[in-house]
Amino acid sequence: MKQSRYNSKIIGCGMYVPEDVLTNSDLCKMVDTSDEWIITRTGISERRISKEDVFTSDVATKAALAAIGNAKITPNDIDIIIVATVTPDMYCPSVSCIVQKNINARGASAFDLNAACTGFIYGITVADQFLRNEVYKNALIIGADCLSKITEYKDKKTCVLFGDGAGAVILQARENCESKIVDSLLGAEGSKGENLTVLGLRKDEMELKKRITNNCNTIWMNGSEVFKFAVNSMVYSVQKLLKKIGKSIDEISYIIPHQANQRIIDGACKKLNYKSEKMFSNVQKYGNMSTASIPVAFYEALNEGKIKNGDLVILTGFGGGLTWGSVALII
Ligand code: COA
């Protein structure tokens, strides 16, 4: 990473999840599944679901305001808003522009970013460039998704996995600060993109055939292929990032992985030869909230005292695209 006098420090974070809970027993009434199958195959017990008239910009705004309050800044202090999402309210305006309006951050630039479940890692990495290069001082990065809006609740292979939520952080440029984003690593394997799809304008015949109903605005996934990619890409990116920053896995205080499936988290932990109690998990209560999973997990890990000042922490994710990425930071 290019040296700079400036680094990015997380000065505040916030989260929001909708109140409505969809439990495994609720799902048993909707598809041919069981609490036992869902728990043993995924580790998920329940997830949060937004009401019909609540959209990604609404959950993103709530998380943003919580992060702004936590950072003790005002919306006027924000120079850039990045929202990572795959479930925008509309194609245009972007969720980030709607958030900018909602929080009245008049001086901020704003754009959305789509790297699916890796979106928050991409967002932090992009914002870090602006701050270290002294372009901006304060960045608001939000991971927000309402996956329930694009979930096919007749497809037992996917509907048990997903939930809604948002997490946000404020990154601030600080001179020679110990607490900082240390480095990051991003990647993509577009050649494997067909394993996890949500259609847009192009209604590809093959894609339509894959879906069990004619609702084409839903997620289709080859679960076992994505599972393998998830474990391998997390292990690869964490190991490559460790090498880049000159640290060993034992020097990492905590890992906050994307929350998709407890078996994926456990599999990566084992392959990394890492302590399972240092690998954060809240997948049981929220399921996979896509790009919101990592910032929500970060918020909870901080508030539960699992990570604290001075700790070297890795955030690591994978997702549609297919994409992957990791960020190392000192809290
Ligand atoms: N309830 C009951 N049975 C189910 C089920 C459910 N909800 N979902 C699938 N099954 C069945 C399948 O139909 C299959 O039955 P069969 O053998 O009679 O055909 C069997 O369980 C095994 O299916 P399989 O897909 O091989 O299960 P799995 O162990 O791979 O688990 C996932 C499925 C989706 C949980 C798992 O593959 C996964 O988590 N993949 C990654 C998903 C992910 O992370 N996506 C987001 C990326 S950000």
Side-chain angles (χ1 to χ4, degrees):
M1 182 185 279
K2 199 174 125 225
Q3 289 305 313
S4 159
R5 278 188 304 142
Y6 285 87
N7 289 114
S8 316
K9 171 182 166 62
I10 294 183
I11 60 161
C13 60
M15 64 167 274
Y16 174 76
V17 288
E19 277 169 26
D20 292 351
V21 175
L22 182 70
T23 63
N24 289 352
S25 62
D26 294 331
L27 283 162
C28 292
K29 293 175 203 142
M30 297 157 76
V31 284
D32 178 20
T33 189
S34 67
D35 181 47
E36 204 240 331
W37 193 95
I38 304 172
I39 300 240
T40 52
R41 306 308 291 169
T42 73
I44 303 167
S45 297
E46 54 188 49
R47 39 329 259 140
R48 300 302 179 94
I49 304 294
S50 50
K51 295 200 190 303
E52 221 170 292
D53 59 350
V54 169
F55 291 90
T56 298
S57 68
D58 301 310
V59 294
T61 299
K62 288 197 160 112
L65 289 172
I68 291 166
N70 184 244
K72 298 189 176 58
I73 60 165
T74 71
N76 271 333
D77 298 320
I78 297 167
D79 303 303
I80 180 168
I81 302 171
I82 302 175
V83 177
T85 187
V86 285
T87 50
D89 307 26
M90 308 186 233
Y91 287 132
C92 186
S94 62
V95 174
S96 53
C97 283
I98 302 173
V99 170
Q100 188 227 28
K101 177 187 70 172
N102 290 351
I103 66 173
N104 201 16
R106 268 172 286 176
S109 56
F111 69 93
D112 286 4
L113 175 162
N114 176 347
C117 302
T118 325
F120 184 74
I121 301 285
Y122 270 69
I124 280 227
T125 304
V126 171
D128 182 41
Q129 313 302 313
F130 281 115
L131 302 195
R132 274 192 301 107
N133 286 305
E134 301 175 48
V135 178
Y136 292 133
K137 180 144 197 259
N138 292 308
L140 165 62
I141 304 102
I142 308 169
D145 266 313
C146 287
L147 289 184
S148 66
K149 312 274 187 215
I150 56 164
T151 296
E152 174 55 81
Y153 285 100
K154 290 192 169 88
D155 180 6
K156 68 177 177 180
K157 293 188 175 181
T158 53
C159 74
V160 300
L161 302 170
F162 303 122
D164 302 345
V169 299
I170 307 285
L171 273 187
Q172 185 169 77
R174 293 272 180 99
E175 214 173 332
N176 302 320
C177 186
E178 275 306 304
S179 165
K180 62 186 176 191
I181 304 292
V182 177
D183 212 337
S184 59
L185 203 64
L186 304 176
E189 283 194 49
S191 60
K192 292 185 176 162
E194 65 196 17
N195 289 302
L196 207 180
T197 56
V198 183
L199 302 192
L201 297 177
R202 192 168 113 199
K203 308 294 179 220
D204 187 282
E205 269 305 310
M206 287 290 284
E207 286 292 337
L208 292 173
K209 274 194 198 134
K210 287 175 178 177
R211 283 154 176 81
I212 63 170
T213 71
N214 56 12
N215 182 358
C216 56
N217 299 317
T218 53
I219 304 169
W220 181 87
M221 185 173 62
N222 179 342
S224 56
E225 278 305 309
V226 176
F227 192 104
K228 276 184 260 168
F229 172 82
V231 175
N232 292 336
S233 65
M234 281 209 289
V235 171
Y236 174 78
S237 75
V238 169
Q239 286 177 339
K240 203 165 169 197
L241 184 58
L242 285 171
K243 204 167 172 194
K244 205 172 167 209
I245 64 173
K247 298 283 179 189
S248 74
I249 190 81
D250 299 329
E251 291 174 276
I252 303 302
S253 310
Y254 222 84
I255 296 182
I256 300 181
H258 174 48
Q259 305 288 310
N261 183 326
Q262 189 59 47
R263 286 193 297 136
I264 293 176
I265 297 173
D266 294 342
C269 187
K270 204 168 162 206
K271 285 194 172 188
L272 283 167
N273 204 10
Y274 194 59
K275 310 171 218 61
S276 56
E277 67 278 13
K278 297 279 183 190
M279 197 94 173
F280 188 82
S281 173
N282 61 9
V283 70
Q284 178 254 339
K285 54 182 181 170
Y286 301 129
N288 179 350
M289 298 185 287
S290 181
T291 182
S293 285
I294 290 177
V296 167
F298 178 82
Y299 175 91
E300 292 198 335
L302 201 60
N303 280 277
E304 289 166 18
K306 290 186 165 139
I307 54 176
K308 51 191 184 314
N309 284 351
D311 282 352
L312 177 58
V313 171
I314 288 184
L315 316 179
T316 182
F318 58 87
L322 300 178
T323 53
W324 54 263
S326 294
V327 172
L329 65 151
I330 299 172
I331 304 295

